[in-house]
Amino acid sequence: MGNGTKTAVIIVAAGRGSRAGGDLPKQWQMLGGQTVAARTLSVFAAAQRIDRIILVLHPQEMDRADAFPGVMAVPGGDTRSASVRAGLEALRDQDVGKVLIHDVARPLVTQQIISDVIDALGVHRGAAPALALPDALWRGAQGMVVGSEDRTNIFRAQTPQGFDYETILAAHRAFKGVAADDVEVARAFGVNVAMVPGDARNLKVTWAADFDRAAEIIGGEMDIRVGNGFDVHRFGDGEYVILCGVHVPHDHGLAGHSDADVAMHALTDAIYGALGEGDIGRHFPPSDDQWKGADSAIFLEHAAKLAREKGYAVNNADITIICERPKIAPFAAAMRRRLSEIIGISASRVSVKATTSERLGFTGRQEGIAAMASATLMLR
Ligand code: CTP
Ligand code: MG
């Protein structure tokens, strides 16, 4: 076994996709708003345990790599095996211990499979996802069934197939002939390959109809996120407070580093929370003087932009402001409008309401204002 410490993935994308038809090879055709290749790469880019991504491209399509910064592009060969070999050779002297080899044509690969294969490589020199067959198996000839096969020990092979790097490199160098996949190459070299659970969704786009099947699977997947936020600012001198971006006359102001818009802060944190992106303090440190007196719309705009960049739309937001005074109701409509402008969604998706705390606690004693917010985000 080699002693490299990094885990790499080689994504082979040098094929012509002749069975799928279309004007472009299947990996450059669109699936749910992005190319098949972009979707496949995004899954591995999001995989925490993958350190390096190698993309094997057709020699005439090397410029496709421009769309994938941080990915190392390598020209492939005439067969799948030759393309894998090119990827393996390119990883020499890169401190790679484990390597996953994946067909670009499987854009629905899951984080679970990637993680299971890597786990199994802790124990075995080779590991790959396998699926048991639900259907009976026949032999046929001239349109007639001529026999039945026992399916008990038959499995459908998927990718990514993972290996100890030095072992699979040596196996590919030694292999003669044409292999269906890398498990075949490894086994011919005497490597034991463990099976981990495959996933029926991890289909290989092969024929034109597979695009529809893949699109259905993507469409049926809903990623909904909920985040919450809470904030408090104390009263200080002043003649107005800013709440949800709206100027509200009052006999005190709110103290804080920025404009102290406690309600907008709660909502901003709710969006960061749904994204798993920390809170305002992480993105706009209070130690940084440039945010002194800042319009809090800057923070909310940033959170909404971050959501969009990650492919999420803010579905709705709900804010509760907790104070005895000032009265919020007369300003609620303007507040909803202002927040909806900043986030870029309809005001009907934004709710602003208020409650007193029955003169109990710090809000009841009118020492400050508290606000809480929830937001739901949906993956588009
Ligand atoms: N592949 C490759 N280099 C080749 C041939 C295939 O990198 N010379 C890759 C394909 O891009 C694909 C994977 O190997 O990701 C599996 O191959 P397959 O599904 O057969 O894709 P194609 O060869 O592109 O399709 P077809 O056989 O229909 O032409
Ligand atoms: Mg092929």
Side-chain angles (χ1 to χ4, degrees):
M1 293 245 231
N3 46 22
T5 61
K6 303 276 191 270
T7 299
V9 62
I10 295 171
I11 298 173
V12 282
R16 298 296 76 203
S18 49
R19 284 170 290 175
D23 294 340
L24 293 168
K26 58 191 177 185
Q27 58 270 36
W28 310 121
Q29 294 184 35
M30 299 299 278
L31 172 64
Q34 58 185 334
T35 64
V36 168
R39 182 171 289 272
T40 305
L41 276 146
S42 72
V43 179
F44 285 95
Q48 307 258 319
R49 297 163 78 188
I50 299 284
D51 305 306
R52 297 193 198 302
I53 302 179
I54 305 291
L55 181 61
V56 182
L57 294 169
H58 191 277
Q60 278 157 20
E61 292 175 347
M62 295 308 290
D63 54 342
R64 288 278 186 180
D66 298 349
F68 310 111
V71 168
M72 179 178 170
V74 173
D78 288 341
T79 61
R80 183 185 181 284
S81 300
S83 294
V84 172
R85 171 90 184 265
L88 288 169
E89 299 288 352
L91 280 171
R92 288 227 56 87
D93 307 319
Q94 300 262 331
D95 189 25
V96 172
K98 300 183 176 99
V99 64
L100 271 52
I101 302 168
H102 186 69
D103 291 338
V104 74
R106 291 188 191 268
L108 304 185
V109 57
T110 62
Q111 296 296 339
Q112 182 73 52
I113 292 180
I114 295 169
S115 187
D116 286 350
V117 170
I118 296 173
D119 280 344
L121 289 179
V123 187
H124 305 278
R125 284 196 297 167
L131 261 192
L133 294 171
D135 308 312
L137 279 185
W138 296 328
R139 263 176 297 112
Q142 279 93 49
M144 304 299 285
V145 177
V146 297
S148 294
E149 293 286 338
D150 180 8
R151 67 184 166 197
T152 323
N153 291 317
I154 305 283
F155 294 88
R156 288 165 57 192
Q158 298 190 327
T159 71
Q161 301 180 351
F163 305 93
D164 171 69
Y165 171 68
E166 297 294 344
T167 305
I168 193 68
L169 177 63
H172 264 274
R173 285 175 173 174
F175 194 81
K176 303 273 177 281
V178 183
D181 61 12
D182 304 291
V183 165
E184 190 178 335
V185 173
R187 286 187 30 82
F189 199 64
V191 178
N192 292 326
V193 179
M195 292 191 283
V196 304
D199 191 319
R201 290 172 298 175
N202 184 23
L203 60 89
K204 180 157 77 75
V205 175
T206 302
W207 291 284
D210 293 330
F211 280 94
D212 294 338
R213 285 176 60 210
E216 264 169 40
I217 294 169
I218 294 166
E221 274 175 4
M222 268 217 255
D223 184 339
I224 299 177
R225 284 155 174 247
V226 180
N228 68 69
F230 177 74
D231 196 22
V232 173
H233 280 270
R234 73 167 64 240
F235 283 126
D237 291 339
E239 285 155 9
Y240 65 92
V241 294
I242 304 276
L243 293 171
C244 300
V246 173
H247 186 285
V248 179
H250 190 49
D251 50 19
H252 283 88
L254 284 172
H257 192 69
S258 61
D259 63 7
D261 189 335
V262 60
M264 204 177 302
H265 294 175
L267 177 57
T268 304
D269 273 353
I271 296 174
Y272 285 136
L275 295 170
E277 279 286 345
D279 57 17
I280 297 181
R282 191 173 113 195
H283 297 279
F284 301 92
S287 53
D288 189 337
D289 265 352
Q290 66 171 307
W291 312 123
K292 213 170 160 63
D295 178 351
S296 294
I298 297 169
F299 310 151
L300 183 58
E301 250 157 30
H302 177 263
K305 180 161 161 268
L306 198 58
R308 279 195 300 277
E309 284 170 2
K310 290 176 164 241
Y312 289 90
V314 176
N315 186 56
N316 81 302
D318 183 23
I319 299 180
T320 301
I321 300 170
I322 305 160
C323 61
E324 304 293 323
R325 289 189 316 122
K327 275 214 168 314
I328 303 301
F331 301 93
M335 291 174 173
R336 294 174 68 191
R337 261 199 314 278
R338 179 66 188 128
L339 293 174
S340 74
E341 269 168 29
I342 298 169
I343 307 172
I345 59 174
S346 150
S348 66
R349 293 180 181 272
V350 180
S351 145
V352 176
K353 55 201 194 307
T355 182
T356 71
S357 53
E358 296 285 334
R359 287 190 236 123
L360 297 171
F362 69 86
T363 51
R365 292 187 298 270
Q366 302 193 40
E367 292 164 3
I369 298 183
M372 47 198 270
S374 312
T376 59
L377 272 56
M378 284 176 71
L379 192 64
R380 281 181 290 211

